[in-house]
Amino acid sequence: MTAIKGHVPPSRRPGALGVHSLDHFHFVAPDLATAESFYSEFGLAVSPKGGGLALATRHDPHVWGTIGEGPRKKHQYLSFGAYEDDIDRFAGRLQEMGIARLDPPPGVESNGLWLHDHDGNLVEIAVAAKTSPDGKSPLDSPAAGPGERAAPFRRDVKRTFPRRLAHILMFTRDVMKAMDFYTRVLGLRVSDHSGDGIAFLHGVHGSDHHLVAFAKSNAPGFHHLSWDVGGVDEIGVGATHMLGRGHGRGWGLGRHVLGSNYFHYVRDPWGSYAEYSAGIDYVPVDCDWPAADNAPEDSFYVWGPDPPEDFVYNYEA
């Protein structure tokens, strides 16, 4: 199927079995006070939850992620949202594929299916409301006509507060196995990849160009959390705020090739990143995205400064 101009797409892809959203993530960190400070300054709403922290955006109660306490920063699991009437079908698929069902982690309430992915990462497929957008997120582009000043005074600039979690990029030992597992088991679709170095996957029921991506490493782990904001100005304001709070290490401003989003990455206290992102490509529910294997130079960024030397180093390995 290809998108038809003026056509209102269905709310889900008929007959397709696939998760619709990346619902939330969980990782542990050695200092919750440091985590609370970093993500609060980044613009998220951080609150206590079960001895750890919950991350939401300022205008939506949905919990996009939780952080527990552990000896070192370490990814724990991803939870993907599915429609309620698809859960039994997913259970049947796991049985047919010989994939073992697991118990939820201790203390985690769940209505979903738990399993290990190709790298041994814990994954949940849970009944959840769709949080992936049903259309391309609006990109603010303030403009002024002749005789008008477009830029605000600095005294009037407001903080940048992300609107939602956009995607997560995971490290994997084998990108090709990641593509195979997450398409065959979870029903995601490949948007683009570059050989066995990196891959981007989207949801079949309509999502951004990628809701999860995988980059090659010697061990699992997560590289960055990407948060959607309103435009390039909001990216710049957020980056400037974080610089003023002592978080000057990162990468940006720039624009990616695959996904097309503008970006600025802020390095967190543990060597991974939080990304301000705007303008990412969108794959409608009735569109077959023309996935391609792209050359390395066409899989990273169109313009921007050189990335830090350790930008793709896996500090969880």
Side-chain angles (χ1 to χ4, degrees):
M1 288 188 288
T2 57
I4 301 173
K5 188 175 182 180
H7 168 62
V8 178
S11 59
R12 59 187 292 183
R13 187 120 174 175
L17 179 60
V19 296
H20 56 58
S21 307
L22 172 57
D23 189 76
H24 65 275
F25 58 85
H26 178 70
F27 69 87
V28 296
D31 187 340
L32 291 180
T34 297
E36 180 177 10
S37 174
F38 177 83
Y39 285 106
S40 294
E41 295 294 351
F42 188 79
L44 300 178
V46 185
S47 60
K49 182 178 175 66
L53 301 172
L55 304 183
T57 56
R58 296 297 179 104
H59 306 295
D60 188 334
H62 181 80
V63 174
W64 293 105
T66 52
I67 306 174
E69 195 161 22
R72 59 191 290 260
K73 187 260 183 177
K74 192 73 174 175
H75 169 74
Q76 298 292 295
Y77 66 80
L78 293 180
S79 178
F80 291 87
Y83 293 113
E84 184 174 8
D85 57 355
D86 280 343
I87 288 295
D88 287 344
R89 296 174 66 196
F90 272 116
R93 174 179 285 180
L94 298 183
Q95 184 175 6
E96 290 173 4
M97 298 179 71
I99 296 174
R101 298 259 304 269
L102 307 172
D103 292 330
V108 175
E109 295 183 8
S110 173
N111 62 13
L113 311 170
W114 291 83
L115 58 147
H116 283 139
D117 73 2
H118 66 292
D119 266 329
N121 292 312
L122 197 56
V123 172
E124 180 188 27
I125 304 172
V127 176
K130 188 173 186 287
T131 55
S132 289
D134 290 322
K136 187 176 175 69
S137 293
L139 184 64
D140 299 334
S141 183
E148 299 177 317
R149 183 180 55 81
F153 289 110
R154 289 199 65 167
R155 63 177 179 267
D156 296 328
V157 171
K158 298 179 180 179
R159 286 277 308 277
T160 293
F161 297 118
R163 300 183 290 198
R164 60 180 174 85
L165 178 68
H167 60 264
I168 184 170
L169 190 148
M170 300 293 300
F171 286 117
T172 179
R173 297 184 183 94
D174 192 317
V175 169
M176 305 308 285
K177 285 184 178 179
M179 291 167 56
D180 179 71
F181 181 90
Y182 281 84
T183 55
R184 290 197 307 117
V185 180
L186 273 70
L188 296 175
R189 295 199 172 185
V190 177
S191 306
D192 288 288
H193 72 106
S194 180
D196 64 354
I198 193 166
F200 304 88
L201 284 74
H202 65 271
V204 69
H205 300 297
S207 81
D208 291 334
H209 175 271
H210 50 285
L211 52 78
V212 65
F214 296 94
K216 187 175 179 59
S217 180
N218 61 336
F222 93 69
H223 178 267
H224 75 263
L225 302 167
S226 179
W227 301 88
D228 177 74
V229 299
V232 174
D233 271 336
E234 289 196 19
I235 294 175
V237 168
T240 300
H241 175 83
M242 293 301 281
L243 176 63
R245 295 300 188 272
H247 301 290
R249 300 183 68 180
W251 181 39
L253 176 73
R255 190 177 193 185
H256 284 302
V257 180
L258 304 180
S260 304
N261 51 310
Y262 301 96
F263 66 82
H264 182 91
Y265 294 84
V266 183
R267 180 168 166 154
D268 70 20
W270 313 285
S272 48
Y273 294 87
E275 178 191 20
Y276 293 115
S277 170
I280 194 167
D281 293 330
Y282 184 77
V283 184
V285 64
D286 57 351
C287 172
D288 289 323
W289 185 266
D293 183 359
N294 301 272
E297 62 270 21
D298 280 329
S299 64
F300 204 5
Y301 63 111
V302 182
W303 53 262
D306 291 336
E309 290 186 1
D310 65 344
F311 184 70
V312 293
Y313 184 83
N314 184 0
Y315 283 94
E316 291 190 28

